[in-house]
Amino acid sequence: MGSGPDDLDQALAACAKGDRLALRRIFDQEAGRLVAVAQRIVRRRDLAEEVVQEAFIRIWTHAYQYNADHGSARGWIYAIVRNRALNLLRDGKREHVVEDVETLQEAEHAEAIMAAWRRLDQRSRLHECLGSLDETKRNGILMAYVGGYSHGEIAGRLRIPLGTAKSWIRRGLTTLRECMA
């Protein structure tokens, strides 16, 4: 099976007639991209894979409903994945579990970053210079260089605009360099 729209149309028509190999061809061709789409929505790989699995069950059981006059086969398949992912987010029980786990992991990671700063020799120049920085600038630098966070992730975690995060880190590094010199 190629990657043309007619191929997906034909595969869906074959699925509607009970051809399991046609479903397998769709899966082989599209699953990677479908997981990526779902992951952008649900923000977790394991949940994205679950969404795609449920979507393929729906594709198999509802392939007879696909109508080429109403849109492309690829669009129909991707709409099923998007709808499944959005439904998962609307499911309050799972959403709270995801948020609770992410909050716990985030707190543990933040504590590990701060522990790295506390483990520095308190008489060292680096500890002294980091200690002289404003707390938010120090936290931003530690998040970037100890935690490995991007500027966007730091902005999100500190709940500040991206430009502000970049400025704080840049100014903090300048002040840190001057202090260390």
Side-chain angles (χ1 to χ4, degrees), residues 106 109 143-144 147-160 162 165 169:
E106 182 61 35
H109 199 238
M143 289 170 79
Y149 291 121
S150 69
H151 287 113
E153 290 171 322
I154 293 167
R157 282 165 175 78
L158 296 177
R159 301 186 195 292
I160 57 175
L162 176 60
I169 293 169

Side-chain angles (χ1 to χ4, degrees), residues 3 17 39 58 73 76 86 90 99 107 112 119 121 132 137 140 162 164 169 172:
S3 60
K17 294 175 185 169
Q39 189 170 351
R58 181 149 182 95
W76 187 80
L86 292 171
R90 287 185 201 111
E99 288 174 4
R119 281 193 308 268
D121 180 356
S132 71
K137 290 178 186 167
L162 176 60
T164 302
I169 293 169

Side-chain angles (χ1 to χ4, degrees), residues 4 14 25 29-30 62 71 83 89 124 127 137 154 157 163:
R25 288 192 307 268
Q29 180 180 327
E30 299 294 328
H62 290 77
N83 290 339
L89 288 180
S124 74
H127 189 277
K137 290 178 186 167
I154 293 167
R157 282 165 175 78

